[in-house]
Amino acid sequence: MTTLVWFRDDLRLADHPALAAAATDPGGLIALFVLDEVSAGVRPLGGAARWWLHGSLERLRDDLAARGIPLILRRGAVGEVVPDVVADAGVTRVLWNRRYGGERHHDAALKERLRAGGVAAHSFPGNLLFEPGAILNGQGLPYRVYSAFWRACLAHPAPAAPVAIPEHLTAAASQPQSDTLDAWALRPTSPNWAGGLAERWTPGEAAAQARLTRFLDGGTAGYAAGRDFPARATGSELSPHLRWGEVSPREVWHRALDAGADVAVFLSELGWREFAWHTLFAAPDLHLRGLNAHFDAFPWETAPGAELAAWQRGETGFPLVDAGMRELWQTGFMHNRVRMVTASFLTKNLLIDWRIGEAWFWDTLVDADAASNPFNWQWVAGCGADAAPYFRIFNPVTQQHKFDRDGAYVERWAPDALLTPEIVDLRASRVRALAAADRARGATPGSPSAE
């Protein structure tokens, strides 16, 4: 018996249920990664994500090679590539960890096709804390409010303990041909805009484990109080590692609890990530359609020009917004509080369609995933699950006063921001946004406003 382990967004060896299940196969295993950018409904990766993927695959390849297993790389539609590899290599069993976005329909079709051809095919839970079908409200429907969702999660049996890296892995005698990683051209070359990403980040499982250890050893004490202040190094910055599955949420969960500190707030952030994925499971077109139908009639600006360009470049004249957008461009990352401020500014002060902002973050964030990115944009825009009322508009001046009063964050990323003219009047643009929301809802104008 020869087993194919199909890697996807789980580029690790630890707590990899499919790999663990394959370890006992006497016929050895084949490790496969497929870059699928052509199957229907598959969203092509953004530039920053492609950069990260290259590094993560390099390290997975090296980790597997140290155990005598080559990593096979193929490009194309998974529904064709996987069966081709199975046939060429005489594979009798295919294993993978589950995906929860629109790709799962391709996985289901592939499983059916393989089984019809006499090949065993099995999938495993490994990339979420709880399976989406296990956390439902009293009507058997997905939750739309986070607090109720997270209470249900905490009342559920605890996430399973992580699975150890198999002690022994054996390569199948017959290994299929592989593409070369460089041939995929995932890294930018002309120009190479990723220098700042390389300075800040090291992809791969070892780096993920090291970052988790550093955070748990010294970061949890100040996390709850400091997580909203972008100049403070209180965040875990595990999000890109979780996005690529270089560390599993189950391992983060159990190691955080074992650390013995007060980690409830940190774990609730894992819960927010979980909420996004459960929402995507129920609404696979999350990046295209708002969950709140009231906003279907909202007069978003869908063909913006100079204002969008100023936002993207960090030249709006509002220092906190500009600092966040420049941090994003230089490093592929932005502090969570600043993400909310920049997204609110785009959607409410500029009235630019949230999908345009989501697409920009999709292209520039190293941690942009199919669930959290559109989910959080919808939350800020007011059209998503558990969304704040539309009249809650993040005032970038007030937010800077609260969370970067001494200007340390702005000084680091946008020291010249005060010299840039403001591209919009905050008060007038807020009034305009509230009026537009009232019209879209068919409500009586005059809803309260907040900052």
Side-chain angles (χ1 to χ4, degrees):
M1 177 182 289
T2 299
T3 297
L4 173 68
V5 177
W6 178 21
F7 286 85
R8 294 99 72 76
D9 292 341
D10 49 5
L11 305 180
R12 63 182 185 270
L13 304 186
D15 196 28
H16 196 291
L19 181 66
T24 58
D25 193 332
L29 65 90
I30 295 169
L32 173 69
F33 180 87
V34 180
L35 179 62
D36 184 353
E37 300 175 296
V38 296
S39 291
V42 172
R43 191 177 186 186
L45 296 174
R50 291 167 68 86
W51 174 87
W52 190 288
L53 176 61
H54 182 108
S56 192
L57 288 172
E58 278 185 326
R59 287 157 179 84
L60 178 64
R61 179 190 63 196
D62 293 346
D63 291 343
L64 286 168
R67 293 162 172 81
I69 310 294
L71 177 62
I72 307 302
L73 303 176
R74 291 289 183 90
R75 194 171 195 166
V78 295
E80 301 301 325
V81 172
V82 174
D84 286 349
V85 173
V86 166
D88 292 346
V91 170
T92 53
R93 185 171 64 149
V94 181
L95 308 178
W96 64 78
N97 298 326
R98 293 175 194 146
R99 298 185 290 188
Y100 300 93
E103 305 94 337
R104 73 180 190 272
H105 301 299
H106 295 293
D107 298 353
L110 177 62
K111 184 180 290 186
E112 183 178 350
R113 177 176 173 179
L114 291 171
R115 289 176 173 174
V119 177
H122 302 284
S123 62
F124 301 84
N127 294 323
L128 292 179
L129 297 172
F130 307 97
E131 291 289 275
I135 307 296
L136 300 172
N137 65 19
Q139 290 73 47
L141 300 173
Y143 283 94
R144 295 289 292 270
V145 176
Y146 171 70
S147 57
F149 168 82
W150 192 230
R151 284 195 301 270
C153 289
L154 295 177
H156 200 73
V163 179
I165 299 176
E167 292 186 7
H168 302 289
L169 293 172
T170 303
S174 175
Q175 293 285 332
Q177 289 188 336
S178 174
D179 296 347
T180 64
L181 185 55
D182 287 340
W184 285 0
L186 296 174
R187 287 176 169 169
T189 54
S190 300
N192 179 9
W193 44 258
L197 277 63
E199 289 179 8
R200 182 159 184 173
W201 301 104
T202 300
E205 183 173 11
Q209 293 287 345
R211 189 174 290 275
L212 176 58
T213 296
R214 286 196 302 270
F215 175 69
L216 295 178
D217 284 351
T220 58
Y223 178 80
R227 65 193 178 113
D228 281 324
F229 295 84
R232 301 182 188 177
T234 54
S236 72
E237 296 194 352
L238 285 167
S239 56
H241 299 292
L242 283 165
R243 184 263 177 266
W244 291 103
E246 296 168 349
V247 64
S248 77
R250 299 193 307 198
E251 180 158 8
V252 175
W253 173 275
H254 285 284
R255 286 188 58 186
L257 290 177
D258 291 344
D262 182 6
V263 293
V265 174
F266 172 65
L267 293 181
S268 73
E269 293 300 314
L270 274 184
W272 186 259
R273 172 185 182 271
E274 197 85 0
F275 190 35
W277 277 104
H278 285 231
T279 302
L280 179 67
F281 185 85
D285 59 350
L286 197 62
H287 72 291
L288 298 174
R289 186 185 303 274
L291 294 173
N292 186 340
H294 286 303
F295 282 83
D296 289 350
F298 192 87
W300 299 112
E301 172 60 68
T302 57
E307 288 184 336
L308 174 62
W311 178 81
Q312 291 172 333
R313 292 193 300 260
E315 297 176 353
T316 68
F318 295 94
L320 188 61
V321 173
D322 293 347
M325 297 306 294
R326 296 188 201 181
E327 180 191 20
L328 171 62
W329 182 253
Q330 293 179 43
T331 71
F333 191 78
M334 190 192 301
H335 184 277
N336 185 61
R337 166 62 56 173
V338 187
R339 294 189 197 200
M340 292 189 288
V341 175
T342 57
S344 176
F345 184 83
L346 185 78
T347 57
K348 297 180 178 179
N349 295 108
L350 301 183
L351 287 192
I352 292 176
D353 194 321
W354 64 269
R355 282 159 285 222
I356 295 173
E358 192 275 341
W360 182 253
F361 274 26
W362 179 260
D363 193 39
T364 54
L365 279 172
V366 292
D367 63 2
D369 67 37
S372 296
N373 199 53
F375 179 88
N376 287 324
W377 270 94
Q378 287 203 31
W379 183 85
V380 172
C383 59
D386 200 27
Y390 188 83
F391 56 77
R392 183 171 296 158
I393 298 173
F394 288 87
N395 183 310
V397 176
T398 304
Q399 291 288 307
Q400 182 181 349
H401 181 73
K402 288 181 177 179
F403 300 112
D404 192 41
R405 182 173 298 185
D406 63 0
Y409 177 76
V410 168
E411 178 64 24
R412 179 179 182 186
W413 295 110
D416 62 336
L418 290 175
L419 303 177
T420 304
E422 296 175 359
I423 65 172
V424 70
D425 180 276
L426 290 181
R427 183 175 297 277
S429 61
R430 183 178 63 191
V431 170
R432 179 184 62 174
L434 295 173
D438 285 338
R439 289 193 299 271
R441 292 195 308 263
T444 302
S447 298
S449 62
E451 296 179 355

